[in-house]
Structure formats: C-alpha cells, structure tokens
Amino acid sequence: MFNKRTKIKALLSTEPANQEIIVMGWVRSFRNNQFIALNDGSTNNNIQVVAALGLLDDATVKRITTGASLKVTGELIASMGKGQKVEIKANTLEILGDSDAEKYPLQPKKHSLEFLREIAHLRFRTNTFGSVFRLRHSLAFAVHQFFNEKGFIYLHTPIITSSDAEGAGEMFRVTTLPFDNAPRNEDGSVNFKEDFFGKSTNLTVSGQLEGELGAMAFSEIYTFGPTFRAENSNTARHLAEFWMIEPEMAFHDIEDNMNLAEEFIQYLIRYAMKNNMEDLEFLDARLAEEEKQKPQNDRAELGLLDKLKFVVDNQFERITYTEAIQILLDSPHYKKKKFKYDVSWGIDMQSEHERYLVEKHFKKPVIVTGYPASIKAFYMRMNDGCEPGKETVAAMDILAPGIGEIVGGSQREERLEVLEARMAAMHIPLEEMSWYLDTRRFGSVPHAGFGLGFERMVQFVTGMTNIRDVIAFARTPKNCEF
Ligand code: 4AD
Ligand code: MG
C-alpha cells in the first residue's frame, strides 16, 4: 500500500524506539549531503532524515534538492542534534518527484509576502502559509462545531440569485447571452427573458434573505459560503470573492444578536488557541518581527497572542452610533484635523474613523448599534421613537483592532407595512420580493442575524495584514490568477 506512512506531526511526538516507519514529504533543505529537512504540511516543524554517507549513490544525492518529494523508510531514533527529539535513520530513499534547484522559486530564505502572492500556487509550502491555512481550516471547522452545538441548521443558500440582498448594486452578472450581440427589447434594453434563467441574475452578495426564510421554520440557521462583491475597493481588507458566515435567528432581538456574535468570535479564538498553538506561536513571532520594521508610533501595543488572550478575556465595548460620532468629534485627532474624511452625524464611518475608535480610543473590539437608516440596508428594523430626520435602525457592526468592520448585522424589520414602505422608498420592486415578504405575511416574528467576514476573522487570528494572504487564491480588481 503506497500510503502507509506516518505524518510528520505525529512522528515528532512519538517516543523513538528504533521502530520502522515510512515518511513522505517535500525537501525543505539538504546539508552536508546527509541531513534532509523534510516537511509534509502537517506541521511547520520538519523531520530530520539522516542518510548515512554511502547509503545513496551520487546521482540520487544530486536529486535531493529543495522542493523535491521523497519517500523514506527508516528507523525513528532519538536525535543527537539540537532542536529535535527524534530523527529518521534512512534505510531506503526514493525520489518521488524531482525539483530543479535552479528553477524552483522557493529558496530556503525569507521571501516577501508580495513575491509569494505571485507564486500563490507554491506558497502553501512556506512556514507562514502553512500556519495560516492550517488555522483557516481549524476556524472553519470551529464555525460548524459552534453552531452544531447550539442546534443551528446549516443551510446552503444559492450562489446564483436574482436579487440584490444588500441593495448596494455591487453584483457580478451571471449570463449566457452573447455580450456583443445580446437580444434586445423594443426600447433597446437587453431582453433577459432570452437569458439562461429567463431573467437577470447575479452572483450572491449575501445568503441572508434566503437565510431568513430558513429561520422562519427552523428558528435558527446559519450559512457559510462564498459571496461576491463587484466593489472596486483595492484595500488590504476587501476581496471580490470572500466567505461569509451568516446566522439568522427567529425570536432574537438586537441584544441577543450582539451576545451571540461576541460569544461566536470568542469561541473561534479559543478554539484556535486550544488546537493550533504551535502555528499561533509561529505567527506571533513572525508578527513581532514585522512590527520591529515599523516606526515606534505605528506598532501595535499587543503581540498576536496577547491580543487574542485579551479579546477572549474581556467583554466587547458596546456604544451607539451617536456616541461613536461624539467620541470622534471630541477626539484630539479630529481637533488636529488628522482625519481625511469629515465627521458629522449621518456619515457612513470611514475605516480611519472605525480604527480610531477601536485602536486609539477603546483599544478593544467595539459593537456599534443604532446607525442612521439612510446608510443601511432596507431589511433593518426601524427604531421606534426617533427624532424626525434622525431615524435609526437596529443595526450592529463589530469593529476589531487592526481590521475595522468584522461583523455586520441587525434585527430585521418584521412589520410588513413598515418593511413595504421602506422598500418602496428605496425603489425595491415589491412584486419580485414577494417570496421574502411572505415571511412577514405568515407568522412573522422578531428575528435577527449577522454576517462575519471569514477572511477578516482569519486575518484577526493570524495577524496577517493583507486579506490576500489568508485566502488561497485571492480575487481582487484586475486580478484573477490561478
Ligand atoms: O456588512 P455586510 O455587507 O453585511 C451583510 O452582507 C449582511 N447580509 C450580513 C447579515 O446580516 N447576515 O457584510 C458582512 C461582513 C462584513 O462585516 C465584513 O466582515 C465582510 O462581511 N465583508 C467583506 N470581507 C471581505 N471582502 C469584502 N469585500 C467584504 N465585504 C464585506
Ligand atoms: Mg457592513
């Protein structure tokens, strides 16, 4: 059987007793024609394979190059060398795949993240990306565990839809019509009746609306899938294709929603700290190194692990949008005119404002509620008793240090007439959304939900500053490689 091998992670914690083992992996380095550092992706720690002089012929020795793949049989023995408890005394060594040392882009030295982004197909083989993607896996697993423990139903909402959940118009169209010769209506507009689905369709920006339908039967559901936004934002926090987790809960108000979101984020971090400490320690050291390159003033106050511990041990700050605006207006930063964008009640806070609140003012995650209705989506519940002209909705955004907005959510408008009026005012066609409005017609209940941007969460836990470095193959404006 080809695959009768032991993973390196397991070997490294096995007591050596000269037992016969088989190991397979990729060469990270080879020195003195004897010592091979072998890695199989199960951990950043390589196992040392010792090929005694004379065991291999010269031709084979030459083929042991960085990146080559090997199958080794040998004995697991106690290591004399420093830095490892065990090593493998090779009995046989087979080259599974050669790797031309001259051409292999990953040399045993430090490469910049920018360079590694260009060779994203190989970067999984570095320590940094090994740690990031093992953590990403763990966090995804923890998402399902969290909701499963709470009895939520995992609902797979569609990728192709005919509605714009966020009403922001940032959608990628899905069509099979020929774009240079599309069928036209009499008025010259494209005739989507002739399109594949007989109507205009797009990639989903959010599974929320379909999620609400599920919550109206199962009480509590969550989605976890890819979402797509054609927003032209070339930042370290935006992707055109990102993964989102969207729980939706019947019989929940905005406060229940905040409590769940806070508990969820803390659970994910705790899970990573319990199961991925080795990778977190590696990334903690990596970040500390990166921070050293920055001017003193720009450095984060806490290292990665200290930050994560702090976040699980302390409650998030909770403030209203109105309070947030007042804090910004009262800040020395504002008075010294250091914000690029102006501050006044009614603005959609820019990331510089959000980061000031969390990084400078509160120094912890902050949940902001009660946003102006004019800057939020149609489905959010109108707050009662607002001053005319200062209408707010029961929205909540969670802002995290170093990230900015990590969660967006709200209590939903469950009152049919209020919702219809809001949709009409925002020019959302009521007939086309009749399926959505049915939830308000037949047994409507107070309900709430939120969306956690998975990559932003992975950024927060790994300390990676660019979102392109926490997704395998990033899709951003003018970039769709691999
Ligand atoms: O705030 P957003 O747009 O909210 C929604 O989509 C709601 N339907 C969620 C809900 O209530 N069920 O997006 C939610 C989160 C943001 O807070 C952010 O973390 C992430 O999704 N996000 C992005 N992540 C990466 N790249 C982008 N372009 C993102 N846009 C939003
Ligand atoms: Mg948002």
Side-chain angles (χ1 to χ4, degrees), residues 9-289:
K9 187 181 166 114
L11 285 178
L12 290 173
S13 57
T14 303
E15 280 308 314
N18 296 16
Q19 60 272 55
E20 271 279 328
I21 52 98
I22 300 176
V23 68
M24 299 183 213
W26 293 267
V27 176
R28 283 285 174 92
S29 68
F30 183 36
R31 58 187 176 83
N32 297 355
N33 280 353
Q34 275 190 81
F35 303 106
I36 305 164
L38 200 67
N39 190 282
D40 66 0
S42 57
T43 162
N44 272 348
N45 298 317
N46 306 320
I47 194 147
Q48 173 155 286
V49 175
V50 185
L53 291 174
L55 176 75
L56 307 171
D57 56 48
D58 286 355
T60 308
V61 168
K62 281 213 183 73
R63 291 171 64 200
I64 304 176
T65 53
T66 305
S69 47
L70 308 183
K71 173 179 179 181
V72 177
T73 63
E75 288 155 42
L76 190 69
I77 60 171
S79 177
M80 298 295 174
K82 267 196 253 152
Q84 70 253 344
K85 206 173 77 183
V86 297
E87 63 187 28
I88 297 170
K89 181 167 161 270
N91 292 333
T92 68
L93 184 151
E94 184 189 333
I95 310 238
L96 298 174
D98 288 287
S99 170
D100 185 338
E102 302 274 294
K103 294 191 184 137
Y104 188 56
L106 282 177
Q107 296 303 319
K109 65 162 198 174
K110 209 170 149 49
H111 293 291
S112 74
L113 294 174
E114 290 76 16
F115 171 72
L116 292 172
R117 237 168 263 152
E118 285 168 21
I119 52 160
H121 56 302
L122 294 171
R123 67 180 178 172
F124 298 125
R125 298 185 187 189
T126 65
N127 283 340
T128 298
F129 289 94
S131 288
V132 166
F133 285 97
R134 277 188 297 271
L135 271 157
R136 183 178 166 119
H137 158 78
S138 263
L139 290 168
F141 188 82
V143 165
H144 291 297
Q145 187 164 295
F146 176 82
F147 288 116
N148 190 50
E149 280 169 4
K150 289 191 175 292
F152 282 53
I153 294 291
Y154 178 25
L155 192 67
H156 296 94
T157 50
I159 304 285
I160 301 174
T161 77
S162 57
S163 63
D164 178 0
E166 291 306 298
E170 294 166 331
M171 300 181 298
F172 288 101
R173 182 180 295 288
V174 174
T175 180
T176 54
L177 293 178
F179 71 89
D180 48 357
N181 187 23
R184 302 274 165 186
N185 295 313
E186 273 174 15
D187 64 1
S189 59
V190 173
N191 181 4
F192 286 106
K193 288 209 179 72
E194 304 235 342
D195 205 349
F196 189 92
F197 295 105
K199 50 158 55 173
S200 159
T201 52
N202 52 271
L203 294 178
T204 186
V205 294
S206 157
Q208 178 195 319
L209 302 190
E210 292 89 351
E212 284 186 55
L213 311 178
M216 290 302 122
F218 297 110
S219 302
E220 292 165 333
I221 64 94
Y222 71 106
T223 72
F224 185 2
T227 49
F228 307 85
R229 305 243 171 134
E231 53 187 328
N232 202 3
S233 304
N234 230 324
T235 79
R237 305 180 310 125
H238 286 91
L239 291 167
E241 174 178 308
F242 65 100
W243 288 66
M244 186 156 50
I245 299 125
E246 295 185 275
E248 191 69 36
M249 298 79 65
F251 321 116
H252 274 55
D253 65 11
I254 186 77
E255 200 176 328
D256 302 318
N257 204 23
M258 286 192 270
N259 292 343
L260 184 76
E262 181 168 341
E263 184 190 344
F264 179 42
I265 289 175
Q266 290 178 329
Y267 180 97
L268 294 182
I269 297 173
R270 264 194 217 102
Y271 185 93
M273 292 177 78
K274 184 156 173 246
N275 296 282
N276 296 71
M277 207 42 174
E278 195 180 280
D279 287 321
L280 284 174
E281 278 167 357
F282 174 84
L283 292 167
D284 182 71
R286 195 203 75 84
L287 191 65
E289 206 45 51

Side-chain angles (χ1 to χ4, degrees), residues 183-473:
R184 302 274 165 186
N185 295 313
E186 273 174 15
D187 64 1
S189 59
V190 173
N191 181 4
F192 286 106
K193 288 209 179 72
E194 304 235 342
D195 205 349
F196 189 92
F197 295 105
K199 50 158 55 173
S200 159
T201 52
N202 52 271
L203 294 178
T204 186
V205 294
S206 157
Q208 178 195 319
L209 302 190
E210 292 89 351
E212 284 186 55
L213 311 178
M216 290 302 122
F218 297 110
S219 302
E220 292 165 333
I221 64 94
Y222 71 106
T223 72
F224 185 2
T227 49
F228 307 85
R229 305 243 171 134
E231 53 187 328
N232 202 3
S233 304
N234 230 324
T235 79
R237 305 180 310 125
H238 286 91
L239 291 167
E241 174 178 308
F242 65 100
W243 288 66
M244 186 156 50
I245 299 125
E246 295 185 275
E248 191 69 36
M249 298 79 65
F251 321 116
H252 274 55
D253 65 11
I254 186 77
E255 200 176 328
D256 302 318
N257 204 23
M258 286 192 270
N259 292 343
L260 184 76
E262 181 168 341
E263 184 190 344
F264 179 42
I265 289 175
Q266 290 178 329
Y267 180 97
L268 294 182
I269 297 173
R270 264 194 217 102
Y271 185 93
M273 292 177 78
K274 184 156 173 246
N275 296 282
N276 296 71
M277 207 42 174
E278 195 180 280
D279 287 321
L280 284 174
E281 278 167 357
F282 174 84
L283 292 167
D284 182 71
R286 195 203 75 84
L287 191 65
E289 206 45 51
E290 193 180 280
E291 287 285 306
K292 270 197 223 151
Q293 317 297 322
K294 292 187 187 164
Q296 195 88 38
N297 271 354
D298 296 349
R299 291 185 199 164
E301 278 175 34
L302 296 179
L304 180 63
L305 278 171
D306 288 337
K307 175 190 81 176
L308 296 178
K309 276 191 205 114
F310 181 86
V311 170
V312 293
D313 290 342
N314 290 279
Q315 288 191 333
F316 296 4
E317 196 67 39
R318 297 184 183 192
I319 58 168
T320 64
Y321 168 90
T322 304
E323 286 162 350
I325 294 294
Q326 199 55 50
I327 291 168
L328 293 173
L329 289 173
D330 291 341
S331 70
H333 213 76
Y334 178 78
K335 288 179 180 147
K336 288 188 207 144
K337 299 197 176 5
K338 282 197 187 159
F339 288 121
K340 195 167 146 221
Y341 296 90
D342 200 14
V343 180
S344 65
W345 200 96
I347 60 158
D348 201 357
M349 279 191 275
Q350 298 291 324
S351 92
E352 57 171 353
H353 303 135
E354 297 178 341
R355 296 186 70 158
Y356 181 86
L357 289 172
V358 286
E359 285 157 33
K360 297 275 186 291
H361 190 83
F362 289 111
K363 300 179 196 287
K364 53 153 66 170
V366 178
I367 312 184
V368 183
T369 51
Y371 281 83
S374 56
I375 57 168
K376 288 290 186 187
F378 70 92
Y379 51 71
M380 297 191 180
R381 193 179 197 279
M382 292 295 270
N383 283 326
D384 299 318
C386 295
E387 228 180 278
K390 286 209 162 184
E391 286 81 13
T392 59
V393 284
M396 60 155 214
D397 276 7
I398 302 187
L399 314 176
I403 306 289
E405 182 191 330
I406 193 163
V407 162
S410 68
Q411 186 171 334
R412 317 306 189 191
E413 184 56 76
E414 84 282 14
R415 299 162 294 189
L416 180 64
E417 313 74 53
V418 184
L419 182 59
E420 281 178 337
R422 186 109 197 278
M423 287 169 75
M426 293 171 93
H427 307 291
I428 297 167
L430 293 174
E431 321 76 62
E432 276 172 38
M433 298 290 282
S434 142
W435 51 273
Y436 180 70
L437 292 167
D438 267 0
T439 54
R440 276 66 170 174
R441 289 190 187 107
F442 309 119
S444 188
V445 296
H447 64 290
F450 62 85
L452 171 72
F454 188 54
E455 283 75 20
R456 292 193 188 170
M457 186 67 205
V458 180
Q459 273 191 282
F460 189 71
V461 173
T462 58
M464 299 302 284
T465 39
N466 196 313
I467 198 164
R468 293 166 179 79
D469 295 331
V470 298
I471 188 161
F473 302 106

